[in-house]
Amino acid sequence: MSEHHKPEGPGLGRRGSPANWPVWRQLTGGDLLGRGAAARSRRHLEITPRTTTADAVVKSVCPFCAVGCGQDVYVKDGRVVQIEGDDDSPVSRGRLCPKGSASKQLVTNPGRITSVLHRKPYATEWEEIDLDTALEMVADRVLDARERFWEHTDANGDTVQRTRGIASLGGATLDNEENYLMKKLYTALGAIEVENQARI
């Protein structure tokens, strides 16, 4: 028998043979539900799961929505190679939605921006700036907006000491401690519009 016609794996016939069709194997074999040997393919037998070759597994939380599904992040040679649902998570019990399942792309996509970019008013191109400069620019704009829109009193003359020039929209993956600190910060700045994406 030539190499081309040798069966490759349990229940698999010659390449191109009807005995290779999953439905045929399901109906004629012992796997009537099609969840075992009938669902296997040559490709399935040739590949090695990335989860078995990883150096470490790191527990994490999906960053997409307010549910906070648990994730197992598989790392090899210092790089993320796979992300799976965390079976130990009381929130998601090993399940991930399509976005959570594809979250590996957040850290491995070659198009991911890893530096701070700024586009000046009326400019058509972005320029790269350092993080310290960007933080200074943000702080200057926050203080300027607070000062320009500051209200000592309202229309009735009541003291309010507030600004409508700043608003906060928190992210869904912020934990209780982070939300507590954000509320303290924006209250200290006099902002009154404080909301969270998880409620919208």
Side-chain angles (χ1 to χ4, degrees):
M1 184 182 287
S2 69
E3 190 70 29
H4 178 73
H5 292 103
K6 284 183 181 177
E8 300 178 23
L12 296 179
R14 293 189 322 244
R15 198 176 292 273
S17 166
N20 241 6
W21 299 347
V23 174
W24 177 260
R25 293 202 313 268
Q26 180 178 343
L27 297 175
T28 60
D31 183 20
L32 293 178
L33 295 178
R35 296 187 298 191
R40 294 183 186 143
S41 65
R42 283 189 169 79
R43 178 67 180 144
H44 165 81
L45 298 171
E46 292 168 358
I47 60 176
T48 302
R50 290 185 289 258
T51 56
T52 60
T53 59
D55 300 328
V57 182
V58 181
K59 299 290 185 182
S60 186
V61 177
C62 180
F64 275 113
C65 78
V67 174
C69 295
Q71 292 182 322
D72 287 336
V73 181
Y74 293 83
V75 181
K76 183 175 177 62
D77 299 327
R79 295 181 56 84
V80 175
V81 294
Q82 182 67 9
I83 294 180
E84 301 277 342
D86 181 5
D87 292 332
D88 298 327
S89 170
V91 174
S92 53
R93 296 176 292 172
R95 298 173 179 89
L96 291 175
C97 76
K99 285 167 60 174
S101 298
S103 58
K104 172 177 170 274
Q105 298 177 27
L106 291 175
V107 291
T108 60
N109 192 305
R112 180 183 181 218
I113 297 173
T114 57
S115 58
V116 181
L117 300 177
H118 175 251
R119 190 173 68 183
K120 294 178 179 177
Y122 308 108
T124 58
E125 301 295 330
W126 294 89
E127 63 177 302
E128 188 173 323
I129 60 175
D130 63 274
L131 183 58
D132 289 337
T133 301
L135 289 174
E136 288 289 334
M137 292 169 67
V138 170
D140 289 343
R141 285 161 172 74
V142 167
L143 295 176
D144 178 61
R146 179 179 187 269
E147 183 66 29
R148 285 193 295 119
F149 295 97
W150 186 258
E151 300 175 5
H152 290 285
T153 59
D154 63 11
N156 297 323
D158 296 324
T159 302
V160 289
Q161 302 287 24
R162 68 188 182 194
T163 181
R164 293 176 186 258
I166 305 170
S168 167
L169 179 60
T173 56
L174 296 173
D175 57 32
N176 288 341
E177 292 76 15
E178 290 169 317
N179 280 305
Y180 172 81
L181 292 174
M182 284 183 64
K183 182 64 170 72
K184 286 287 188 183
L185 170 64
Y186 286 104
T187 299
L189 288 171
I192 57 174
E193 286 90 2
V194 180
E195 189 51 271
N196 191 283
Q197 177 248 328
R199 293 192 341 113
I200 296 177

